[in-house]
Amino acid sequence: MNEASTGGGSKMLEPGELDNIFKAGLRVFPIFQDNGRSLSEYYWGNGYKHSQLAHDQAVHFGFNRGTVIYFAVDYDATQEDMPHILEYFRGVTSGLASRGKRYLHGVYGSRNVCAEVTKETYAAYSFVSGMSWGFSGNLGFPLPANWSFNQIKEYQVTNGSDTFWLDRDAHRVGSDDGQKTVNRAVSPAADLLANIDQLYSLAKSYGKGDPNRLITDYYRQKRYAGFERKSLIGEVDWSFIDYANSRGAELMSDFTDPFTGQTLRPQHLLATAAGHMIKPPLSDTHKANRGDVAGWAGDLMTFYGEWRRDSDSYASGYTYCTERLGKVGTLSSFSFDDLIEDADGFLLAEKMRSGVPITTALRDHYEKTGGVTRFRDYLAKRFGTSQATAADAAFYILTSIDDPLINLGRISLEQQTGGVAMVLSHLLPEDRLRNYCLGFADTLIAHAGLEARSQAKMKSNHARLFADSSA
């Protein structure tokens, strides 16, 4: 086990240690802990600071995009302590979002801590401190459904004159496999197409269900198949996932967009597509639904929390959107990459709902030149190329009480980045919230306009990047 800490010492990852681990054929699962042994250390600001520090250290050591970093609760946290623990982890999610969501947050702690943090902050995986039998959070509580590692015994090992303690951990197959490399090169789009071709063939041979849906299920398995996504857009087909994994299928963590050169995340892209495919847009485009929450609307909720977090510096939600939402080179919870993935996911879903195989839809978009007009097409097909429609749909999803599940999810997403003390969107004065929603709409329109003026550059990028990937 490698543990990152600001305190230094034997548990801190040292230069050269990763090379030795990988040469021995081993894997790494990073844990961040800065003391973490008393309730007083668990509050939103500390979680925010710790996650930014953890991000920076992970980048320093070259950890690949999508790596799970486990944040530790290394004391006997009781149920009465949980509000403070949860605020700490909301700070963690906000801090990682502020760095561009390169890494996922996991939780290290007792069974109860892991279960509560996962339920309230959507931790990717749980690392259970199962050896701590004296922890009340391990007594009478089941293993959390998303457990990846469970510490079960500690051994004293002697190597020459050195004596140290070594944990024996149980690992759940199909969960977090840890990292076997660092500084991995971003895959070209052609690799994603080949990956989806393989999955499509497996989905056909599986013989049950819609191959398009099965492939999006496969890509949801790590990050987008938890309780909240299951409630929002339905369960994935775990039998197909097991079938595909047993036949050599793999998830890709990233690929290069051939039009902008940005690094995109196929897991978010295809989870967005799944949402719009399973829950198609409403006939009234001024409103929004669960499919939208799986894409742009969910991102807008977390970004709202980020705005409220920064509201002392940005009183205007319109300004916050136009200066920070979908801006190239600006790290936020609604980055340019997120906006691309939201647009592309929607457009892919539109094609798949019309009967186009996902393999063809992806090729039309990335190998051909469908992606050159992604923002124009997204704005037209989802919002009717209307500023008012986009702003109305945003306002609706941030205030509507029609769907209780969306209401609860909205509160959770907003508080993840803004903390529990923030003013929730449905409680903000209407004129201020509409101003924020107008900023979202105008940002979409601005991207569509910039895209129209950048056709030659994007086509040149595509010719170069796709040629490079095929060489």
Side-chain angles (χ1 to χ4, degrees):
M1 180 174 74
N2 286 272
E3 188 165 314
S5 168
T6 59
S10 62
K11 290 188 176 182
M12 187 170 182
L13 192 61
E14 304 291 347
E17 191 173 357
L18 284 174
D19 288 340
N20 293 334
I21 291 170
F22 297 146
K23 286 176 183 177
L26 302 175
R27 294 174 182 250
V28 171
F29 41 83
I31 299 176
F32 182 92
Q33 180 174 349
D34 186 357
N35 200 17
R37 299 185 186 278
S38 68
L39 177 62
S40 63
E41 299 170 65
Y42 290 92
Y43 54 93
W44 193 94
N46 229 19
Y48 186 79
K49 178 181 70 175
H50 285 174
S51 62
Q52 290 187 323
L53 179 57
H55 168 98
D56 295 347
Q57 288 183 318
V59 169
H60 170 74
F61 285 109
F63 278 102
N64 301 316
R65 185 180 298 273
T67 296
V68 178
I69 301 175
Y70 296 89
F71 291 83
V73 181
D74 201 10
Y75 81 101
D76 186 15
T78 65
Q79 192 63 37
E80 290 72 26
D81 295 346
M82 215 55 65
H84 301 278
I85 302 297
L86 295 177
E87 268 300 273
Y88 173 86
F89 275 90
R90 291 186 183 102
V92 166
T93 61
S94 186
L96 290 177
S98 75
R99 291 289 201 262
K101 297 186 289 191
R102 179 182 178 89
Y103 301 114
L104 309 180
H105 82 283
V107 51
Y108 170 92
S110 69
R111 293 180 175 200
N112 187 41
V113 164
C114 289
E116 289 291 321
V117 169
T118 296
K119 182 177 71 173
E120 297 297 332
T121 72
Y122 310 143
Y125 290 108
S126 294
F127 195 132
V128 181
S129 54
M131 292 187 306
S132 302
W133 299 109
F135 279 11
S136 60
N138 282 330
L139 302 177
F141 293 95
L143 279 170
N146 70 335
W147 77 274
S148 56
F149 302 100
N150 184 16
Q151 291 175 315
I152 56 176
K153 192 173 179 63
E154 189 175 41
Y155 291 89
Q156 190 177 40
V157 177
T158 300
N159 182 19
S161 60
D162 294 330
T163 299
F164 57 93
W165 291 93
L166 184 66
D167 294 343
R168 172 171 288 180
D169 300 335
H171 173 249
R172 182 170 64 88
V173 175
S175 63
D176 179 16
D177 291 324
Q179 299 295 308
K180 60 182 179 180
T181 64
V182 291
N183 295 313
R184 183 181 59 228
V186 177
S187 301
D191 286 359
L192 175 65
L193 301 183
N195 176 271
I196 298 300
D197 285 344
Q198 178 197 17
L199 280 170
Y200 195 83
S201 177
L202 289 171
K204 296 288 282 186
S205 64
Y206 179 65
K208 294 177 286 186
D210 174 13
N212 289 345
R213 172 74 181 269
L214 292 172
I215 290 170
T216 60
D217 281 358
Y218 187 82
Y219 263 86
R220 285 175 57 195
Q221 64 176 288
K222 294 288 186 180
R223 291 192 62 184
Y224 301 99
F227 173 78
E228 73 287 350
R229 286 281 172 154
K230 177 181 174 181
S231 302
L232 192 68
I233 59 173
E235 179 68 280
V236 300
D237 188 331
W238 290 106
S239 295
F240 170 69
I241 291 168
D242 291 340
Y243 176 86
N245 285 337
S246 69
R247 287 158 177 78
E250 292 185 352
L251 281 172
M252 286 181 57
S253 62
D254 49 36
F255 71 100
T256 301
D257 174 43
F259 307 104
T260 64
Q262 296 292 310
T263 298
L264 303 183
R265 300 159 298 167
Q267 294 175 47
H268 180 239
L269 168 71
L270 294 178
T272 298
H276 290 298
M277 187 168 56
I278 296 165
K279 301 290 184 181
L282 300 171
S283 57
D284 183 352
T285 55
H286 292 262
K287 296 183 178 181
N289 65 0
R290 294 185 184 186
D292 292 301
V293 175
W296 66 270
D299 288 331
L300 192 64
M301 291 170 184
T302 57
F303 190 70
Y304 172 85
E306 190 174 332
W307 168 44
R308 300 314 303 157
R309 181 197 73 200
D310 297 341
S311 59
D312 287 346
S313 302
Y314 283 90
S316 166
Y318 182 89
T319 301
Y320 199 76
C321 285
T322 56
E323 291 189 2
R324 296 188 56 80
L325 193 160
K327 299 292 286 187
V328 178
T330 298
L331 297 176
S332 78
S333 64
F334 202 163
S335 65
F336 184 48
D337 303 341
D338 289 313
L339 194 60
I340 291 175
E341 292 154 8
D342 287 341
D344 289 3
F346 177 87
L347 295 172
L348 290 172
E350 289 280 291
K351 287 196 170 186
M352 288 190 285
R353 282 206 314 276
S354 71
V356 176
I358 190 171
T359 49
T360 301
L362 283 165
R363 278 196 157 75
D364 287 348
H365 198 76
Y366 294 112
E367 187 174 36
K368 296 181 181 178
T369 55
V372 169
T373 55
R374 58 166 51 107
F375 291 120
R376 183 197 69 184
D377 296 341
Y378 178 46
L379 189 62
K381 294 182 179 182
R382 175 57 188 86
F383 302 107
T385 317
S386 166
Q387 178 202 56
T389 300
D392 285 349
F395 185 82
Y396 178 87
I397 205 65
L398 292 175
T399 58
S400 172
I401 58 173
D402 292 349
D403 187 331
L405 181 66
I406 291 179
N407 298 343
L408 291 173
R410 180 177 66 227
I411 292 170
S412 178
L413 289 173
E414 290 178 359
Q415 289 183 338
Q416 276 190 48
T417 47
V420 294
M422 60 166 286
V423 179
L424 296 168
S425 57
H426 67 281
L427 299 177
L428 195 73
E430 179 175 339
D431 60 332
R432 298 191 66 196
L433 185 62
R434 286 198 178 277
N435 195 250
Y436 171 79
C437 296
L438 185 62
F440 164 71
D442 280 354
T443 296
L444 285 181
I445 292 170
H447 276 291
L450 178 62
E451 178 182 73
R453 299 188 297 273
S454 305
Q455 298 289 299
K457 180 180 179 181
M458 285 193 291
K459 289 178 180 178
S460 174
N461 287 343
H462 182 267
R464 174 175 54 83
L465 290 169
F466 235 93
D468 287 348
S469 70
S470 302

